[in-house]
Structures are given as structure tokens and as C-alpha cells.
Amino acid sequence: MTDMTTTPEGGGEPHTSTRKAVRRGGGDPSTRGRTTIADGVVEKIAGLAARDVIGVHAMGGGFARTLGAVRDRVPGGSKSVTRGVKAEVGEVQTALDLEIVVDYGVTIGDVAGAVRENVIAAVERMTGLEVVEVNIAVSDVKLPDEEEDEPEPRIQ
């Protein structure tokens, strides 16, 4: 803590005195204890980051998307941001597997590269974990005239 006062002679020049704060328990508080990050946390971050990339139509394979679409229609249910994402989280590193559906006409290699970059940046920034690999499986291509995989509602 810094305290600014003037000299008693009235010279008006500031005099700086520093008081040290007393810490109990020894050491930096940020090093006292351990932080663990669940797989699901990393999966959510990665899922949102992957969906932000232009050319990614959806996440997950056909069955997972169909099941997710049904689950999304249940009242009170919410979209699963972890669909198509699997994370393995260690103490300082993580590895990710993503399954994506791309839009027709995009260059798959470019989309996969952009997804990889966006996911790595988001996960490392938010968690502090080192992302050692991001494996991407492209399971489908969304054609312009294809219908969505979501089932028709039963009640009309």
C-alpha cells in the first residue's frame, strides 16, 4: 500500500512510504489448493467454439443428431452443446475428438483447420490446459436441398 504525504518543511514534494501487507499461510493464494476441470466443461467450450466456424452445419453423427433433435423438442430441454464432442482431460493437458457435418461446397480441410484453431484457442484461453490434439471426423455433408434430420412434430 502506498501512502502519499508532503514533507513537514512545507516543500510540497511528495514523500512515499510503503507498507507491506502481512500474508498468513505462506505463499501466493493462487497456489494454495488445486483446480480440476471436468471433461464436460471442456466439451462445452469446444462444442461452442466448433459451431462458430463458418462451414460447420452441425455436430455429431446421424443418430446422435436425430436423438438430440428429439431431446431438444422436449419441454424444458435444451440443445446439447456437447453433441459430437468427446474430451479427455488430465491435470495439465486435454485431447479432443469432434464429429462434424459440413455444408456442401466448403473445403473440408479448411473448415477442419479453422475448427481446430478455434477450439484450441478457446479451450486453452478459458481453462489454461494445453490442448495436445484435436481429432476431427467429418461424418456428413449437408446438401442445399436436404431436409433437416429433425423429426416432424406429432402434435399439430
Side-chain angles (χ1 to χ4, degrees):
M1 179 176 192
T2 302
D3 181 26
M4 299 291 284
T5 58
T6 56
T7 58
E9 294 83 31
E13 292 184 14
H15 172 72
T16 306
S17 67
T18 304
R19 285 186 264 156
K20 267 196 163 176
V22 177
R23 287 202 176 148
R24 296 197 169 106
D28 182 15
S30 66
T31 62
R32 295 186 216 167
R34 196 172 89 180
T35 302
T36 57
I37 300 171
D39 293 359
V41 172
V42 174
E43 289 169 356
K44 282 183 179 182
I45 294 167
L48 290 171
R51 283 174 176 79
D52 282 346
V53 175
I54 295 172
V56 174
H57 178 75
M59 299 290 295
F63 180 71
R65 288 194 333 258
T66 302
L67 186 62
V70 171
R71 191 174 37 239
D72 293 346
R73 291 181 181 270
V74 173
S78 61
K79 289 192 178 228
S80 174
V81 295
T82 61
R83 186 182 311 140
V85 183
K86 178 68 179 134
E88 292 181 27
V89 179
E91 288 188 27
V92 295
Q93 295 178 326
T94 186
L96 294 148
D97 294 320
L98 281 70
E99 187 174 0
I100 65 173
V101 176
V102 297
D103 292 320
Y104 177 79
V106 300
T107 305
I108 293 173
D110 291 348
V111 171
V115 167
R116 197 170 278 114
E117 286 179 27
N118 212 30
V119 166
I120 290 170
V123 170
E124 288 185 347
R125 178 179 51 83
M126 292 182 71
T127 66
L129 295 169
E130 176 191 5
V131 178
V132 293
E133 66 180 4
V134 177
N135 300 311
I136 299 173
V138 179
S139 62
D140 202 358
V141 174
K142 169 67 171 85
L143 301 176
D145 57 348
E146 270 184 334
E147 290 184 20
E148 292 294 321
D149 289 339
E150 295 182 20
E152 289 295 317
R154 297 186 70 157
I155 302 172
Q156 296 186 6

